[in-house]
Each structure stands twice: as C-alpha cells, then as structure tokens.
Amino acid sequence: MSSRLVAGPLALIAAGGVVAGPLLESGLPAPPQQWVFAVLSLPLPALGWLLAVRRPDLRYGWLLLAAALSLGLSMLGIGLSARGDGHVLLTALASLTTVFYGLTWIFVPLLFPDGRLPSRRWRAVAWLSGGAIALHAAGNIAYGYDPYHLPAWPLSPVQVAGALGSAAGQLTTWVMALVVLCGLVVRWRRSERAERGQYAWMVGGTAATAAGAVLLTLFHFGGLRYGIVGLVGVLAVVGSLPAAIAVAVVRHRLLDVRVGLRGSRLHLVFDLRPTVDEVLSDLGTALEQTPEPVEQLARLAAAVRTGLDLRWAAVTLADGTRVVSGEQEGRPALELPVRGGRIECGPRDTGPLTRVDRRLLEALAVPAGLAIQSAGLVTRLVNAQEAERRRIERNIHDGVQQQLVALIAGLELARATGAGPAMLANLREQARQTLADLRELAAGIHPSALSQGGLVEAVEERCSRLPVRTTVASPPSLRARRFADEIEGAMYFTVSEAVANALKHAGASAVEVRLALDGGRLRATVADDGKGFDPRTPARRGLATLEDRLDALGGRLAVHSEPGKGTRVEAWVPVDG
C-alpha cells in the first residue's frame, strides 16, 4: 500500500510534466511534434509506476520513476521559461534534464534488470557517474542555464565556474555512458539463453539512445524547437529505452511481468508473479479441497513451481516419499528443509533464483511443513491401522478361532460317542475360556468399560488387574464427564500402553496414573519408578503410533525419563468446556 501512495503521485507528476511542458513551450494549438514527444514520453512513468507498485522490493521500477520525474520536471521548467523571465527555480527545473540523461544513459542500463550492480567492480563507475551527473546539474544552475534567456556577458566568476563544471560533468557522463554500454554488450554476450533476449533489447535501446543523443547534440536549435533530425534524436533519447523495456516485458517476461489475454472478453492484463499472500491463499484452498496426502504433496509442489516459475519442484518426506511437479533435470538449484521433509527447487525458466525467490519460499515453509506433516501423519495412521487389523486377524486366527474349532470338534465327538458328565464339563469349560478370550480381544479393540462407564472407570478397571501397586487419581467431577469416542479411546490406549511399558520394559514396582481436566485440555500422566531410559533413542516403546493418534486430534504426547530415575508419560488433547 505504501508503494502505491508514493509511486502514484510521482508517476502523475512525471506524466503531467512531459505533457504540460511542451504545450506551455509552444502554446495551443500545439504542433504535431509536441504531441508526438508527449505521447512517446508517457511510457517511461507508466513502466516505472507498474514495476514500483507490483515489485516494490526491486529498485528498477523506482529508478525508472526517478528518470521519468526528472524528465517531467525539466520539461515543465523549460515550458515555463518560454512563458516568462528566467528564474533560478526555473533554471533548476530545466537543469534536471542532465539528471534524466545521466539516469537513462548510465544507470538504467547499468542496473538492468533488477536494480542491482552486476558486480562490486562497477561501484566505482556508479559513484563516478553520480558525481558527474551532480556536477553537470550544479554547473548548469550556477551558469544560469535557460534555453530562452542566455546569461548576459561578461560572465561572473560563478557563471564561469558553472560552465566549466557543466562541461566537465557532461564529458564524464558521456565517457561513463560509453563504458556502461560496452559492459552491457559483454553481459549480453555472456548471458544465458533465457536472459539473452532481455539483454539484446536493452543493448538495442541503449545504442539507440546514444545515437539519439548524438543527433540531439548536433542538431539542437534551442528549447524544444528541433529540426527534423534533431526531433528524431530527442524522440530516440526519450522513447528508445522505455520501448526496449516494454518489449523485454512482453516477449521475454522481464522481472516476471507477463502480458496476455484473460477472460471471455479478451481484455489485456498484466499478470506478474504471484505475491506471497496470493500463493498462500491458493495453496490453502488447494490443500483444503484435497484430502489425499499424496495429492496434497503434489499440490504443494505445483504451488512452489508456479509461484517461483520453476522448471520443476519436488517435495520429499522424511520417510523417502517424494512427489515431483514438472520434469526433473539435474540437481536442485535451491533446497529448503521444512518440518517433516524438504522442498527442492529446480532452475527457473527465466534467469537465476534471487533473494526474492528465497524469501517467497521461506514464507511457504510453515504451510508446507504443516502439509508435509499432515501427509506423513495420515500415512503413519493408515499403516498403524493396517498393522492393528493384521494383529487382530492374527489373534483371532491363532487364538479364538482355534479354540472354536477344537470346541466344535469336541461337540461332534460327544454327540457321536454319547459323552458322559466329565466330557460335557470339559466342553463347558472350553466354551467359557473361549468367551473370556473373546471378551479380552474385544477389550483390546474398545473395552466395554470405556463405552459404559467412561474414561476414569475404564482406566481404573485396566489398572486393577496389574501385578504391581498402581494408583489412579482423578477429580470427582471428571468421573461423570463423557467425551467424544475418539478422545476417550486415544487417552485410554495411551494410558494402557504407558502402563504396559512400565511392566514390560521398566521393571517398575509402582505406577501412578493421574487424569485431569485443565484449561480445555484433558490430561493424563503415567509415572513409574522403573529403571528409565534415554528418550532420545529411536525406540519409543510403542508410543509412536499413539503420538500420531493424539497429534491427529490436536494433542501432544511427551516422555520424560532418565536412566535410573523412572519414566513419566504426559498426554493431552483439547476438549470443549
């Protein structure tokens, strides 16, 4: 918003100056060449405004605006001078033509295309050129430059010094412009294929500007009154570089600006590279509409590729899962580690990746990390569910199913042989054991005490059968509370797994379980006095799946332990109320 507030008035002042100055100079009705000059001068402030508003982080748009502003104010000063006596303010305005020439001859091609110097070696050229431009302008002011009111002779010492300074500044500006043009040609010859078209147009525009400056110097007849050749020169000086930049924008997507047709009415639009907010908004919508984890990764990779205009982009999970958007060629040009994986970027279609591209990618790190984490979580939960299904299937096949087969065989034998009371009693005992095993298996899936009595009662029943001293503590108000099935199930199995680990692995002699409801969170803590372990080791004692289960509900699980100091498992999930 701030760039619009600054760039808009600057562009309007520049545009108003290049239109009003020639009209003031010639009066109305103005001759055709004045209108041609005004029209050909307007693309410069327009291009400067466009780039400054849509790409305020780059200096190039502001550079074009500065050149346009100096041109507009100088034309206004010259036009006002034609209407009245020379004045120091009008002289200062008219002297801004030197600033316009210096910026367009030197800095516009030197800082092409992103507003930065090609290398540190060009710093001396930039400083020397800036000093020459300032000396030329100051010299004109001291001399009293006015195309319509020449200073009276003899000149004062200040005017003589101004004339000498103006000449020295102008000569230095010409030399620096030639150096910059030669450097631009070298950069064009050494540029990559994707950038060569952009540099070619800038070389052509700079050469045309230089040729126009030569014509303007040889055939200038005072003020804005030029001969035909002089008019061609001034139009080349004013219009060549904006035309070259405009063609580079249209044909070679300079500074990521694209011009095309959009919509059913085929109106012309400027479609620049999307901003960070636009990429985040589109990515959020795409992820919400895509429930499948692999498809989410594909959408994420496509968003990165489109946002940075890459040839390809890839998203890789920590487990090795990898999704690529586009056709990968060669090594990544940029990598960014994010939570749960990393993002890999191939080269851009136009030019190298810049600091702006890195900042956009870093802005995507948080939503990208969440998407990667979500995809990994869903994958782990699906795998855990499949493993649990196979475990139940195996327990049924190896346990209850075999018992039922044996019971049926015993019943068939009893019927065939006329079994006595002893055999019937044995078969009844087998049936009771099978029923007990079925209940135990069902309790492992979802205990009946949890469905009927709630979380506290189910935890108490689970801990009442343990062979070590176990205490369960909870506030009385929590015993009567019920929560969603997925919340009660997650907390119950977390407590059960933590207690089982304390018996199997920790060698604990006492276990303490605490349940609480605090600040909208249902909490469970299981502490034992066992031998403890190092939580940084890969083995998590079967809690990894439960950690994913809690994470899917918005909760967390933490394990605190040290060798010889027992273990404390803390878990919580958000609840209403």
Side-chain angles (χ1 to χ4, degrees):
M1 182 61 70
S2 60
S3 61
R4 292 178 181 271
L5 294 177
V6 176
L10 293 180
L12 288 176
I13 294 173
V18 297
V19 173
L23 297 183
L24 288 172
E25 189 270 341
S26 62
L28 293 175
Q33 59 265 31
Q34 302 290 63
W35 290 109
V36 173
F37 174 84
V39 170
L40 292 182
S41 299
L42 289 177
L44 183 61
L47 280 173
W49 173 84
L50 175 65
L51 296 179
V53 168
R54 295 306 299 269
R55 296 295 300 276
D57 52 310
L58 296 179
R59 304 171 186 172
Y60 207 70
W62 300 104
L63 175 63
L64 296 181
L65 269 182
L69 187 63
S70 61
L71 175 63
L73 293 178
S74 66
M75 292 299 101
L76 183 62
I78 293 175
L80 292 174
S81 296
R83 291 292 179 176
D85 295 335
H87 188 275
V88 64
L89 178 59
L90 300 183
T91 299
L93 289 177
S95 297
L96 289 177
T97 53
T98 61
V99 178
F100 167 73
Y101 292 146
L103 291 179
T104 52
W105 295 353
I106 299 175
F107 286 95
V108 170
L110 176 62
L111 301 181
F112 181 83
D114 57 1
R116 293 184 296 173
L117 291 172
S119 66
R120 294 179 178 270
R121 293 176 297 178
W122 288 93
R123 286 184 174 181
V125 173
W127 281 105
L128 187 58
S129 300
I133 294 170
L135 179 62
H136 192 186
N140 280 352
I141 295 174
Y143 171 72
Y145 167 76
D146 187 331
Y148 292 98
H149 305 89
L150 297 178
W153 290 80
L155 300 177
S156 68
V158 174
Q159 290 175 316
V160 172
L164 294 176
S166 176
Q170 186 175 23
L171 178 61
T172 306
T173 299
W174 275 94
V175 173
M176 291 297 101
L178 182 60
V179 171
V180 169
L181 176 58
C182 294
L184 185 64
V185 172
V186 173
R187 290 160 60 193
W188 165 57
R189 295 291 300 272
R190 295 178 178 177
S191 62
E192 298 180 0
R193 183 178 61 180
E195 300 174 317
R196 188 161 297 173
Q198 299 176 4
Y199 278 106
W201 282 103
M202 179 54 66
V203 168
T206 305
T209 301
V214 172
L215 293 177
L216 186 61
T217 303
L218 296 177
F219 297 93
H220 180 207
F221 294 104
L224 291 180
R225 303 190 190 100
Y226 303 104
I228 298 299
V229 179
L231 180 61
V232 172
V234 74
L235 296 181
V237 169
V238 172
S240 296
L241 281 179
I245 295 173
V247 174
V249 166
V250 174
R251 295 194 60 183
H252 303 283
R253 293 160 58 175
L254 175 64
L255 297 177
D256 300 309
V257 179
R258 303 179 182 88
V259 180
L261 299 177
R262 177 185 294 170
S264 57
R265 290 184 292 181
L266 301 179
H267 55 280
L268 192 65
V269 297
F270 288 90
D271 182 19
L272 288 89
R273 184 176 62 181
T275 63
V276 173
D277 292 338
E278 292 170 344
V279 174
L280 292 178
S281 177
D282 294 342
L283 178 60
T285 302
L287 295 180
E288 288 178 358
Q289 297 175 351
T290 309
E292 294 296 329
V294 176
E295 183 64 23
Q296 284 189 346
L297 296 181
R299 291 291 183 92
L300 174 59
V304 172
R305 180 190 177 196
T306 302
L308 299 182
D309 196 18
L310 305 173
R311 297 178 188 174
W312 61 270
V315 178
T316 305
L317 301 184
D319 61 4
T321 303
R322 195 166 189 271
V323 177
V324 181
S325 176
E327 296 184 4
Q328 180 174 353
E329 297 178 359
R331 297 178 59 83
L334 178 64
E335 291 189 32
L336 179 69
V338 295
R339 184 177 181 181
R342 69 180 184 276
I343 300 175
E344 300 174 4
C345 301
R348 292 187 59 198
D349 287 330
T350 54
L353 289 167
T354 64
R355 289 179 295 179
V356 177
D357 300 317
R358 178 176 285 276
R359 285 199 296 268
L360 189 145
L361 187 61
E362 290 173 350
L364 291 175
V366 174
L370 293 176
I372 291 174
Q373 182 185 12
S374 174
L377 176 61
V378 171
T379 301
R380 292 195 301 272
L381 287 177
V382 170
N383 294 337
Q385 291 174 352
E386 180 62 21
E388 183 66 12
R389 185 194 66 79
R390 290 195 299 267
R391 184 188 67 82
I392 295 173
E393 181 182 7
R394 184 174 61 253
N395 289 344
I396 292 175
H397 179 272
D398 297 341
V400 177
Q401 178 176 324
Q402 301 302 323
Q403 294 176 13
L404 287 174
V405 171
L407 180 60
I408 292 173
L411 291 173
E412 291 291 340
L413 180 61
R415 185 181 65 174
T417 60
M423 179 176 288
L424 293 177
N426 184 40
L427 292 174
R428 182 178 62 183
E429 186 61 28
Q430 289 184 29
R432 287 178 176 175
Q433 183 61 43
T434 302
L435 179 60
D437 290 346
L438 277 173
R439 287 174 175 171
E440 186 68 21
L441 180 62
I445 301 174
H446 195 83
S448 58
L450 186 60
S451 301
Q452 298 173 3
L455 178 62
V456 176
E457 184 176 329
V459 170
E460 289 177 339
E461 180 179 337
R462 173 70 176 89
C463 295
S464 64
R465 301 193 300 269
L466 298 180
V468 300
R469 179 170 54 86
T470 306
T471 58
V472 179
S474 65
S477 58
L478 186 58
R479 183 177 296 274
R481 288 290 304 271
R482 297 306 304 267
F483 305 96
D485 291 343
E486 60 271 17
I487 291 177
E488 290 186 343
M491 296 301 284
Y492 172 80
F493 285 111
T494 299
V495 172
S496 297
E497 185 66 29
V499 169
N501 286 338
L503 297 177
K504 297 178 188 176
H505 307 292
S509 61
V511 178
E512 180 181 13
V513 180
R514 291 185 176 274
L515 302 174
L517 183 61
D518 177 28
R521 292 179 175 181
L522 180 60
R523 300 179 180 274
T525 303
V526 180
D528 64 67
D529 61 353
K531 59 185 180 181
F533 67 101
D534 186 355
R536 293 173 297 181
T537 58
R540 293 301 302 274
R541 309 299 185 185
L543 293 174
T545 301
L546 294 172
E547 186 175 4
D548 289 339
R549 190 170 184 174
L550 293 173
D551 196 17
L553 296 173
R556 292 292 183 270
L557 183 142
V559 179
H560 307 278
S561 182
E562 291 184 28
K565 295 185 178 181
T567 302
R568 186 176 77 258
V569 178
E570 297 177 348
W572 63 267
V573 290
V575 295
D576 296 330

